[in-house]
Amino acid sequence: KNEVEQSPQNLTAQEGEFITINCSYSVGISALHWLQQHPGGGIVSLFMLSSGKKKHGRLIATINIQEKHSSLHITASHPRDSAVYICAVSSVIKAAGNKLTFGGGTRVLVKP
Amino acid sequence: NAGVTQTPKFRVLKTGQSMTLLCAQDMNHEYMYWYRQDPGMGLRLIHYSVGEGTTAKGEVPDGYNVSRLKKQNFLLGLESAAPSQTSVYFCASTYSRISYEQYFGPGTRLTVT
């Protein structure tokens, strides 16, 4: 079993719909990261969180440390949100060099 | 700031050839990483460095070597390329303080024929 599991693997939505991507992890973490990768593009960090909730524009990330679960929500989705969203966790062990363990990614397609 | 840069962006190698990928960052980050990304496999850590002159193995280090002679540069070498090393390679860097976001380079698409 992978240490970081994402669901769904693929998601298609109509423009304007509310999107939720889930991430579960099985190890102790110091933080959880949400990353975005557009087709053929680089990887950018959207959020890093260790508790509670963060919001940036139409994106909201939440984490429940007790349940080892995080969600990324996209409100009022737009075709430009079409991308792969990747969940990653950083180790609680400082000596691990802040290494990230990644989920498999969720491919999101938003249709106009 | 240029952030994290990678050279080259694309490369085609024949089996057995060697090459070096260069990663450079101008943010004075202590930690640097090399990942590979393959369809269906996600991102996997090849090697990483927690400071100038130090390197460590990641999840998939076989067939690769690295060096960090200067704090701002992290080199990934393939001594004898194999088709299994066809992949997209990403470099990333971050500060040494715990739980800081990683900054990724634009990637290098490598094909080994």
Side-chain angles (χ1 to χ4, degrees), chain A residues 92-108:
Chain A
V92 69
I93 302 169
K94 174 116 172 72
N98 287 353
K99 291 184 292 182
L100 294 181
T101 302
F102 298 87
T106 295
R107 188 175 300 274
V108 172

Side-chain angles (χ1 to χ4, degrees), chain A residues 3 14 37 42 80 91 99-100:
Chain A
E3 292 180 343
Q14 288 298 130
Q37 184 176 27
R80 65 175 173 267
S91 172
K99 291 184 292 182
L100 294 181

Side-chain angles (χ1 to χ4, degrees), chain A:
Chain A
K1 187 178 188 300
N2 292 335
E3 292 180 343
V4 182
E5 298 273 2
Q6 283 185 242
S7 63
Q9 286 186 309
N10 296 282
L11 185 160
T12 300
Q14 288 298 130
E15 183 173 357
E17 287 184 344
F18 183 84
I19 291 171
T20 295
I21 302 167
N22 295 299
C23 176
S24 296
Y25 55 93
S26 57
V27 295
I29 68 168
S30 58
L32 184 140
H33 305 248
W34 283 103
L35 310 168
Q36 180 191 56
Q37 184 176 27
H38 280 104
I43 300 167
V44 296
S45 177
L46 297 175
F47 295 104
M48 184 186 68
L49 63 165
S50 54
S51 64
K53 176 179 174 178
K54 286 190 176 181
K55 185 176 189 288
H56 185 252
R58 294 179 294 103
L59 300 178
I60 303 167
T62 65
I63 188 168
N64 184 318
I65 296 294
Q66 286 73 30
E67 294 186 4
K68 295 188 175 178
H69 181 268
S70 175
S71 294
L72 177 68
H73 306 287
I74 306 175
T75 62
S77 59
H78 190 276
R80 65 175 173 267
D81 297 324
S82 298
V84 176
Y85 293 84
I86 303 167
C87 171
V89 299
S90 48
S91 172
V92 69
I93 302 169
K94 174 116 172 72
N98 287 353
K99 291 184 292 182
L100 294 181
T101 302
F102 298 87
T106 295
R107 188 175 300 274
V108 172
L109 174 64
V110 182
K111 294 184 176 180

Side-chain angles (χ1 to χ4, degrees), chain A residues 30-31 33 35 37 41-43 45 48 86 90-92 94-100 102-104, chain B residues 31 33 35 37 42-43 45 48 50 57 90 94-102 104-106 109:
Chain A
S30 58
H33 305 248
L35 310 168
Q37 184 176 27
I43 300 167
S45 177
M48 184 186 68
I86 303 167
S90 48
S91 172
V92 69
K94 174 116 172 72
N98 287 353
K99 291 184 292 182
L100 294 181
F102 298 87
Chain B
Y31 292 177
Y33 313 85
Y35 299 100
Q37 185 179 42
L43 284 153
L45 181 64
Y48 66 102
V50 298
K57 294 180 180 179
F90 288 97
T94 190
Y95 292 108
S96 61
R97 67 199 78 159
I98 199 161
S99 301
Y100 204 88
E101 63 178 310
Q102 289 191 12
F104 287 80
R109 186 172 296 273

Side-chain angles (χ1 to χ4, degrees), chain B residues 44-92:
Chain B
R44 292 180 293 170
L45 181 64
I46 305 171
H47 285 280
Y48 66 102
S49 169
V50 298
E52 185 178 315
T54 70
T55 63
K57 294 180 180 179
E59 184 185 351
V60 288
D62 293 343
Y64 304 96
N65 56 75
V66 288
S67 64
R68 182 106 180 262
L69 299 179
K70 293 183 179 180
K71 185 177 184 179
Q72 62 268 35
N73 296 337
F74 195 28
L75 279 63
L76 178 70
L78 286 73
E79 290 184 344
S80 179
S84 60
Q85 294 177 304
T86 294
S87 187
V88 181
Y89 292 85
F90 288 97
C91 175

